Amino acid sequence: MSDSCFVVRLNRYLDLTPTEKKAVASLEREPRDYPSGSMLWQEGDDLSELLIVHQGWALSESRLPTGKRQILRFHFSGDMIGASGIAFRDAPSSIVAATDMVVCRFPRRALGETFTEHPRLAALFFSISQMESIDLYDRLRALGRSEGKARLANLFLSIAARMRAVSGQHNPVIRIPLTQSDLGDAVGLTQVHVNRLIRQMTEEKLITRNRSTVTLVDEPKLIELARFVDRFSALDSSWFPSPRG
Amino acid sequence: MSDSCFVVRLNRYLDLTPTEKKAVASLEREPRDYPSGSMLWQEGDDLSELLIVHQGWALSESRLPTGKRQILRFHFSGDMIGASGIAFRDAPSSIVAATDMVVCRFPRRALGETFTEHPRLAALFFSISQMESIDLYDRLRALGRSEGKARLANLFLSIAARMRAVSGQHNPVIRIPLTQSDLGDAVGLTQVHVNRLIRQMTEEKLITRNRSTVTLVDEPKLIELARFVDRFSALDSSWFPSPRG
DNA sequence: CGCTATCTTGATATGAATCAATAGCTGTGG
DNA sequence: CCACAGCTATTGATTCATATCAAGATAGCG
C-alpha cells in the first residue's frame, strides 16, 4: 500500500508507526480534483471534512458586503485546510482553487476516532493547526503596521519560505499564480497600486515579476524592507504522548 | 474541592465528567498574579505552560524593529493563552497584562498525559484553540479592507461580543482598559488619528468613550458600519469521542 | 502640588484610492 | 491564421484618508 497523502503530510513532522499510518490511511476518503477557479467551499458552509492539499494552490478568502475581498491565507501542497470549520461547523472563509488541484479528504467523524485511538496523532493535529494561527499572526503584523512595498515584500518572502520548506530547494524564482488584483486583495491594496509598487520594486532591482512567476532579485534587501522573520520552526513534539501500536 | 479555573473554563463548552474534572484539576499548577503592565512572556520565549486567564485583561503584541507595535489579540477571563507556543516552543508574540491579573497554569507535559487519558478533552483543546484562528481571521479582514472608523467599530463590537459571551449580560457599556495608543496599535492607526475618529464617532452619536469605558450608543449603526459578523457560534462537539470515566 | 501619562487640536505632508483611458495578452471561433 | 472578446496590466490626474510634526490642555498620581 502506498502512503496516502495525509500520511505523507503527517509523516513529515513525526515518524509514524505502521499502525498509525494504517489508521490514518483507512479513514481517508478518495482524493478529489478541482479545476482552477472552482470553490472548495464557501464561507458559512457546513463542513464535514478536513482537507489536505495534494497538488496545486488554493486560497482562503472572504468577501465583504461591499464586494471587496480579503485574501486571508494561501494553501500549498501538504497544507491542512478547514480545521477551524471542524471545530465550529461553519467555515469562516471560502476556499478557492488558484490552480488545478488534487485534494485529500478526511471526514470529521474519523477525527474523533483518531483522537481516541491515537493520542499522538491528536497532538499532531493540534500542533499542525497552530501553524495556521502563527501564519495569521504574521499576516496581521504585516497588514497593520507597514506600508505597501513592505507588505508585498513580506508576502513574497513568506510564500517563498513556505514553498521552499516543502520543496527543500532554495530557488529565487517562485511560482505565484496570482494576478495583481489577487496580490492587492491579499495585502490590502488596490490592483492599481500594486502595479505601481511592483514597477518601483523592479526599478529598485528588488524583484522581477511576469505572469505567474516572481523572482527575488535582492533577497537581503527585501528581508530588511519587510522586516521579515522566517517563523518556520520545527514542531516541538517533546510533550507528545508515546505512540500506540 | 472547588472547581479549578481551567475546569470552569472547559466546562463552559462541555459537561465534564467528574473524572475529567479531576484529571484537569490535578494537573493544574498554582495560579499566579501579575500586576498591570507586567509581561507574562516575551516573543521568542521558550514556553512550557498553557495559561488560562482567571481575572483581568491581557494583550498579545508584537514589536517591529522600527519600534512600532501591533496588538494582535486581547485575552479575557476564561481565555486560553499560548497554544501556539506549546506547539512550536517559542512564543510568536509577547503577552502583556493590561490590568492586574490572576492566571492559571497548565504545564505542557500534562497536556500529553491529558491527550492520552482523555481524548474528549483533547478534542476540546483542539477546538478551543481554533477560536484563536477564527478571531484572527476577523481581525485580518478588518485590517485589510476597511477604513479607520469601521476598524474601530469592529474592535469595539468584537470585544463587546466576547465579554458578553463570558458575562452572559448584554450591557452597552463595556470596560476597555486601553489608551488611544493601544487602540491605534490594535487597529493599525496612529494615536492621533484614533483620537479624531473617536471624536467624530461621538459627534455622530455612535459611541461614547471616557477613560476605560466605551459605550455603544447606537449599536445597529455600528454593526452596519463595521459590517460586523458575530462569529461566536457554539462549539460543534458532534465528532468528539465519548468521555472516559 | 507638581509630574508624567494621556488626550486634544491644528497645520502640513504623503501614501493609497479612485476614476478613467489605453495597451497587451490569450484563447476561441470563423 | 486572423479578428475579436475578455481578462490583465499600465499609466495619468485627482481626491481622500491617514501619518507626521508640533504645541497645548487635562487628569490621575505620588
Side-chain angles (χ1 to χ4, degrees):
Chain A
M1 177 184 72
S2 80
D3 284 347
S4 80
C5 69
F6 219 159
V7 169
V8 170
R9 160 66 170 187
L10 297 176
N11 211 48
R12 192 180 294 152
Y13 296 104
L14 217 53
D15 270 324
L16 301 187
T17 65
T19 322
E20 285 171 333
K21 285 187 187 177
K22 218 161 151 186
V24 172
S26 74
L27 292 168
E28 200 174 312
R29 291 188 191 151
E30 276 293 282
R32 186 177 285 170
D33 289 335
Y34 289 93
S36 170
S38 64
M39 219 168 234
L40 311 215
W41 65 65
Q42 277 195 299
E43 208 166 335
D45 273 7
D46 184 351
L47 300 186
S48 65
E49 304 181 325
L50 210 55
L51 304 183
I52 298 280
V53 180
H54 189 220
Q55 269 174 43
W57 255 74
L59 36 90
S60 295
E61 60 172 46
S62 173
R63 263 169 214 286
L64 303 190
T66 50
K68 288 182 179 175
R69 177 178 67 148
Q70 174 66 43
I71 294 180
L72 302 160
R73 271 199 100 204
F74 300 99
H75 307 278
F76 313 134
S77 171
D79 279 351
M80 182 162 107
I81 313 183
S84 35
I86 288 296
F88 288 95
R89 199 161 265 267
D90 36 77
S93 64
S94 307
I95 309 285
V96 178
T99 66
D100 291 345
M101 300 187 72
V102 182
V103 168
C104 302
R105 300 143 63 214
F106 197 81
R108 170 173 21 205
R109 198 207 78 251
L111 202 59
E113 208 173 316
T114 308
F115 268 59
T116 306
E117 300 300 326
H118 298 282
R120 199 170 72 128
L121 290 180
L124 183 54
F125 275 102
F126 179 75
S127 296
I128 289 179
S129 82
Q130 299 302 335
M131 289 183 191
E132 182 169 341
S133 299
I134 295 194
D135 199 49
L136 291 171
Y137 274 111
D138 287 333
R139 309 287 325 283
L140 251 183
R141 228 183 309 260
L143 275 195
R145 284 288 175 217
S146 54
E147 37 139 55
K149 230 183 271 183
R151 290 189 206 177
L152 277 176
N154 209 296
L155 181 67
F156 295 146
L157 288 168
S158 78
I159 290 176
R162 285 176 64 195
M163 296 190 83
R164 287 164 175 175
V166 171
S167 72
Q169 312 199 349
H170 192 92
N171 197 322
V173 181
I174 47 181
R175 179 145 189 284
I176 303 191
L178 301 175
T179 65
Q180 291 180 349
S181 304
D182 292 333
L183 294 174
D185 288 340
V187 299
L189 299 171
T190 313
Q191 173 270 320
V192 174
H193 200 58
V194 167
N195 180 289
R196 293 193 228 267
L197 291 175
I198 287 180
R199 177 160 51 78
Q200 283 178 45
M201 292 170 84
T202 306
E203 277 162 12
E204 292 162 12
K205 301 204 192 308
L206 292 169
I207 61 164
T208 276
R209 169 176 187 271
N210 62 32
R211 305 265 119 229
S212 56
T213 67
V214 171
T215 308
L216 309 178
V217 177
D218 190 340
E219 206 165 330
K221 275 222 188 84
L222 282 171
I223 289 174
E224 203 206 323
L225 170 66
R227 322 219 165 247
F228 178 71
V229 183
D230 187 351
R231 227 163 261 292
F232 174 81
S233 56
L235 205 62
D236 177 16
S237 59
S238 65
W239 60 275
F240 282 27
S242 47
R244 287 212 185 127
Chain B
M1 177 184 72
S2 80
D3 283 348
S4 80
C5 68
F6 219 159
V7 170
V8 170
R9 160 67 170 186
L10 297 177
N11 211 47
R12 191 179 295 152
Y13 296 105
L14 218 53
D15 270 324
L16 301 187
T17 66
T19 320
E20 284 171 334
K21 285 187 188 177
K22 216 160 152 189
V24 172
S26 73
L27 291 168
E28 202 174 310
R29 291 189 191 151
E30 275 293 283
R32 186 177 286 169
D33 291 335
Y34 289 93
S36 169
S38 63
M39 221 169 232
L40 312 215
W41 66 64
Q42 278 194 298
E43 207 166 335
D45 273 8
D46 184 350
L47 300 185
S48 65
E49 303 180 325
L50 210 54
L51 304 182
I52 298 280
V53 179
H54 189 221
Q55 269 173 44
W57 255 73
L59 38 90
S60 295
E61 61 172 45
S62 173
R63 262 168 216 286
L64 304 190
T66 50
K68 288 182 178 174
R69 176 177 69 147
Q70 175 66 43
I71 294 180
L72 301 160
R73 271 200 100 204
F74 301 98
H75 308 278
F76 314 133
S77 170
D79 279 352
M80 182 162 106
I81 313 182
S84 35
I86 288 295
F88 288 95
R89 197 161 267 265
D90 35 78
S93 64
S94 306
I95 309 285
V96 178
T99 66
D100 291 344
M101 301 186 72
V102 182
V103 168
C104 302
R105 299 143 63 215
F106 196 81
R108 174 180 8 213
R109 200 206 77 252
L111 203 59
E113 209 172 315
T114 309
F115 268 59
T116 306
E117 301 300 326
H118 298 282
R120 199 170 71 128
L121 290 179
L124 183 54
F125 275 103
F126 179 75
S127 295
I128 290 179
S129 82
Q130 297 303 335
M131 289 183 190
E132 181 169 340
S133 299
I134 295 195
D135 199 51
L136 291 171
Y137 273 110
D138 287 333
R139 310 285 326 282
L140 204 52
R141 226 183 311 260
L143 275 195
R145 284 289 175 217
S146 54
E147 36 139 54
K149 232 184 269 185
R151 290 190 207 175
L152 277 176
N154 210 296
L155 181 67
F156 295 147
L157 288 168
S158 77
I159 290 176
R162 285 176 64 195
M163 295 190 82
R164 286 164 175 177
V166 171
S167 71
Q169 312 199 350
H170 192 92
N171 197 322
V173 181
I174 47 180
R175 178 142 190 286
I176 303 190
L178 301 175
T179 65
Q180 292 180 348
S181 304
D182 293 333
L183 294 174
D185 288 340
V187 298
L189 299 171
T190 313
Q191 173 270 318
V192 174
H193 200 58
V194 167
N195 180 290
R196 294 193 227 266
L197 290 175
I198 287 180
R199 177 158 52 79
Q200 283 178 46
M201 291 170 84
T202 306
E203 278 162 11
E204 293 163 13
K205 301 204 192 310
L206 292 169
I207 61 165
T208 276
R209 169 175 187 271
N210 63 31
R211 305 268 117 229
S212 55
T213 67
V214 172
T215 307
L216 309 179
V217 176
D218 190 341
E219 205 165 330
K221 274 223 188 85
L222 282 171
I223 289 173
E224 204 207 322
L225 171 66
R227 322 218 165 248
F228 178 71
V229 182
D230 187 351
R231 229 163 258 292
F232 175 83
S233 55
L235 204 63
D236 176 16
S237 59
S238 65
W239 61 275
F240 281 26
S242 47
R244 289 214 183 126

